[in-house]
Amino acid sequence: MTDLSKYRNIGIFAHVDAGKTTSTERILKLTGKIHRTGEVHDGAATTDFMEQEAERGITIQSAATTCFWKDHRLNIIDTPGHVDFTVEVYRSLKVLDGGVGVFCGSGGVEPQSETNWRYANESEVARLIFVNKLDRMGADFYRVVEQVKNVLGATPLVMTLPIGIEDEFCGVIDVLSQKAMIWDDSGLPENYTVEEIPAEYAEKAAEYREMLIETAVEQDDDLMMAYMDGEEPTIEQIKACIRKGTRDLAFFPTYCGSAFKNKGMQPMLDAVVDYLPAPTEVDPQPLTDSETGEPTGEVATVSADEPLRALAFKIMDDRFGALTFIRIYSGKMKKGDTILNSATGKTERIGRMVEMHADERNEIDSAQAGDIIAVVGMKNVQTGHTLCDPKNECTLEPMIFPEPVISIAVKPKDKGGSEKMGIAIGKMVAEDPSFQVETDEDSGETILKGMGELHLDIKVDILKRTYGVELEVGQPQVAYRETITQAVEDSYTHKKQSGGSGQFGKIDYRIKPGEPNSGFTFSSTVVGGNVPKEFWPAVEKGFAMMMDEGVLAGFPVLDVEVELFDGGFHAVDSSAIAFEIAAKGAFRQSMPKAGAQLLEPIMKVDVFTPEDHVGDVIGDLNRRRGMIKDQEAGVTGVRIKADVPLSEMFGYIGHLRTITSGRGQFSMEFSHYAACPQNVADEVIAEVKAQKDAK
């Protein structure tokens, strides 16, 4: 039996380019898992093993690996930082017990770090902070600490301080033990000496130690009282307080260093063992009702003696076949076991089980609560499915994925490609739930939908390289929506009489604009049984089905409230189907009267530009109908935050590079839907009509 208190399931997450993958490499080197470190910029990092990752120097898929430090087993997931792949971060956080947020010493808290931090807050994951790249120009540890407070609204608990900065960065001060770790210039992580704190840092180190102890003892009333009476707690007592506060998200132990130069990594690894929770110390995952999705009040207690409960959180297809990544919450799983997939109600036999190290794998025969493993060749398991003991059926809290905002039409260049494309896309949809595919019934085209241009770009690239399917790619299309602007009160009667029993349903209803982002809401205030209760769901269903296609240009309808307040029925001729048809007719009759309006997706755009180009960038964003929200000057340039319609952002990166002489960067993510200006709406509607006529 493994001792679960010696397990740490952690993820490393950050903004694109903050150094997550490099940090993971260094951890693997320090723990003896690999002997030569690969570099991201050479395209040789261990966890970036996809061709597309090596080429672009970014991480796309989360990679899993296992290593050991001080007798503790670390299961590490390196997650991508780019916004189009946020779903990978989200689903990794879902199955982890702790995380390390890596921030760039010069870039600080960047937009994607905010998003990932928000996800981690929602998942209630305990975290350490590692401020990386302190050897870089413009690096400033104390500025990043301030940003963590102001931008993320989090409390950093500073555990190490940098000695020297930029080119001079040579070591760190351990605030708790008041000792300095100084590295030599060999670049080897183990070549450091422990010394007394250099005189010029002594005052600062003492001041930070006092702040550290004051914050830590707040976790224990008795220690706090003693401390106020002038009695200093022992190192063990302080560590126990830090561990408790980290687990309760009261604060985040903050470390500094340079992963690339191998400086400052050991204290961070020690902290993973000392302060991040073991699987048994986090709140256990709630079980939900498989029908309603509501919590049942039961939880998956982390223990090998309970019935099996596990979550499939990722599916990956590679040269060895389909791999299903599984986090086991309770119980044991052995080769040859039969398990139940509670989402499909089908059982499956566990064939080969492997422990992952990036794209290498070690076969294992059994695993238990707390483990993250992969199973080869499972048939009907999808991301978010619960796997459990057939005698104890249960459902773990499911995963929720964002809706795609952009789509492209594709078709294979040659006739033989369509079957190949179908199979390949099927595998890719299983791997990435934020990537969706549908077929346009009229034109027979295949529509790919995703989270952004880069997301779809990479998908087309994978189809071409991994699966050998050459595609013709259409123009990107925006996922518009429709809504209404006025309230309408109306009545509709559906009556049909032809031999045998007829159909009758009369409804009196109000349709009005709903709250933003409320989708479709239905209520009934009928009294006196004019529309019997059993027909209300049919009326709701009729309206809900019609919400998929609006009256302006056939886009799905958002933010509409329908209230059924009266009507009439016939004892013989009324049926659920009659009321459903009445609701559909009512939708067609009333929507055009309710001031239909086109909505467009608005993106939260974050542009980084050198100072001398700020005017050009802002002028350009204004021309793209952008609303500038904020601008903030940093050491190396200015960050501009704006809300901009997605339709105006296609091909933006090329344009931005032109106006900033190649130095600008940007990231964007979906924010909300907002009304389209009339001239834009007219163009979109005319275009949709032209496409329909052409078909």
Side-chain angles (χ1 to χ4, degrees), residues 153-326:
T155 307
L157 185 71
V158 176
M159 304 293 291
T160 63
L161 299 172
I163 301 174
I165 200 73
E166 295 181 358
D167 298 349
E168 312 283 297
F169 175 68
C170 63
V172 300
I173 294 166
D174 182 332
V175 175
L176 199 53
S177 67
Q178 292 283 300
K179 289 277 187 255
M181 294 172 79
I182 313 268
W183 277 264
D184 65 16
D185 290 334
S186 67
L188 293 169
E190 54 277 4
N191 288 2
Y192 67 91
T193 50
V194 176
E195 303 172 17
E196 290 306 311
I197 293 173
E200 68 268 32
Y201 289 99
E203 197 176 311
K204 193 163 223 171
E207 176 194 335
Y208 271 88
R209 186 168 197 265
E210 196 170 310
M211 290 188 332
L212 183 137
I213 296 174
E214 275 173 17
T215 308
V217 294
E218 284 174 6
Q219 298 297 314
D220 182 325
D221 294 347
D222 297 346
L223 282 183
M224 191 156 107
M225 297 310 289
Y227 181 66
M228 286 168 126
D229 293 342
E231 199 180 312
E232 176 156 316
T234 66
I235 295 269
E236 261 50 58
Q237 287 172 321
I238 297 170
K239 279 187 159 178
C241 286
I242 297 175
R243 190 172 174 88
K244 179 178 181 297
T246 305
R247 196 193 70 208
D248 297 345
L249 309 188
F251 46 69
F252 303 92
T254 300
Y255 292 81
C256 62
S258 160
F260 183 54
K261 296 276 168 65
N262 276 314
K263 293 173 182 167
M265 299 297 286
Q266 287 94 329
M268 193 242 325
L269 270 175
D270 290 344
V272 167
V273 167
D274 288 345
Y275 306 130
L276 286 181
T280 48
E281 293 171 308
V282 290
D283 291 340
Q285 283 282 324
L287 298 179
T288 56
D289 183 313
S290 57
E291 295 295 310
T292 61
E294 293 300 311
T296 57
E298 290 181 77
V299 292
T301 311
V302 178
S303 150
D305 306 326
E306 293 269 317
L308 173 72
R309 298 186 181 112
L311 186 73
F313 68 95
K314 178 179 166 63
I315 288 163
M316 204 169 101
D317 205 70
D318 69 1
R319 58 183 195 272
F320 302 101
L323 279 177
T324 305
F325 283 81
I326 294 171

Side-chain angles (χ1 to χ4, degrees), residues 65-78:
T65 183
T66 305
C67 57
F68 291 85
W69 181 254
K70 299 201 166 166
D71 293 340
H72 285 64
R73 175 190 174 112
L74 313 184
N75 291 323
I76 301 176
I77 293 188
D78 173 30

Side-chain angles (χ1 to χ4, degrees), residues 592-611:
K593 305 177 190 173
Q597 185 179 46
L598 204 61
L599 298 175
E600 59 182 349
I602 304 292
M603 307 302 277
K604 200 164 101 190
V605 177
D606 209 299
V607 186
F608 177 82
T609 164
E611 261 176 30

Side-chain angles (χ1 to χ4, degrees), residues 484-491 509 551 586-596:
I484 53 169
T485 52
Q486 292 148 20
V488 173
E489 190 169 302
D490 217 338
S491 172
Y509 54 92
V551 291
F587 177 91
R588 281 191 287 267
Q589 168 181 300
S590 303
M591 285 310 263
K593 305 177 190 173

Side-chain angles (χ1 to χ4, degrees), residues 642-659:
D643 284 352
V644 192
L646 174 64
S647 59
E648 304 286 344
M649 289 301 289
F650 292 136
Y652 180 63
I653 187 67
H655 192 75
L656 178 67
R657 287 194 177 133
T658 312
I659 55 180

Side-chain angles (χ1 to χ4, degrees), residues 219-459:
Q219 298 297 314
D220 182 325
D221 294 347
D222 297 346
L223 282 183
M224 191 156 107
M225 297 310 289
Y227 181 66
M228 286 168 126
D229 293 342
E231 199 180 312
E232 176 156 316
T234 66
I235 295 269
E236 261 50 58
Q237 287 172 321
I238 297 170
K239 279 187 159 178
C241 286
I242 297 175
R243 190 172 174 88
K244 179 178 181 297
T246 305
R247 196 193 70 208
D248 297 345
L249 309 188
F251 46 69
F252 303 92
T254 300
Y255 292 81
C256 62
S258 160
F260 183 54
K261 296 276 168 65
N262 276 314
K263 293 173 182 167
M265 299 297 286
Q266 287 94 329
M268 193 242 325
L269 270 175
D270 290 344
V272 167
V273 167
D274 288 345
Y275 306 130
L276 286 181
T280 48
E281 293 171 308
V282 290
D283 291 340
Q285 283 282 324
L287 298 179
T288 56
D289 183 313
S290 57
E291 295 295 310
T292 61
E294 293 300 311
T296 57
E298 290 181 77
V299 292
T301 311
V302 178
S303 150
D305 306 326
E306 293 269 317
L308 173 72
R309 298 186 181 112
L311 186 73
F313 68 95
K314 178 179 166 63
I315 288 163
M316 204 169 101
D317 205 70
D318 69 1
R319 58 183 195 272
F320 302 101
L323 279 177
T324 305
F325 283 81
I326 294 171
R327 161 76 200 255
I328 303 177
Y329 286 107
S330 52
K332 300 187 190 77
M333 188 186 273
K334 290 196 291 296
K335 209 167 157 172
D337 279 359
T338 297
I339 52 149
L340 174 72
N341 176 348
S342 66
T344 59
K346 295 190 171 134
T347 54
E348 289 210 26
R349 218 170 140 269
I350 298 287
R352 291 168 54 212
M353 292 164 58
V354 291
E355 187 183 272
M356 296 300 292
H357 171 52
D359 66 343
E360 291 171 23
R361 58 207 51 202
N362 308 320
E363 298 244 350
I364 50 176
D365 292 329
S366 68
Q368 61 164 24
D371 278 331
I372 292 180
I373 57 148
V375 176
V376 183
M378 295 192 92
K379 298 282 180 295
N380 301 313
V381 178
Q382 287 176 0
T383 302
H385 282 181
T386 300
L387 307 175
C388 57
D389 173 356
K391 296 194 216 47
N392 289 281
E393 188 173 339
C394 68
T395 305
L396 288 156
E397 194 176 55
M399 297 156 102
I400 301 149
F401 296 109
E403 284 293 312
V405 290
I406 172 176
S407 63
I408 50 174
V410 297
K411 58 172 189 249
K413 283 193 178 157
D414 51 61
K415 287 209 168 101
S418 57
E419 192 178 325
K420 226 156 82 174
M421 177 179 84
I423 294 169
I425 287 179
K427 289 180 176 175
M428 287 161 67
V429 172
E431 287 180 14
D432 179 355
S434 65
F435 172 58
Q436 295 177 8
V437 176
E438 58 184 49
T439 307
D440 184 324
E441 311 237 319
D442 303 331
S443 67
E445 285 180 320
T446 302
I447 312 285
L448 308 183
K449 299 179 166 188
M451 303 309 294
E453 268 187 295
L454 179 70
H455 190 200
L456 293 179
D457 229 21
I458 300 252
K459 296 297 180 201

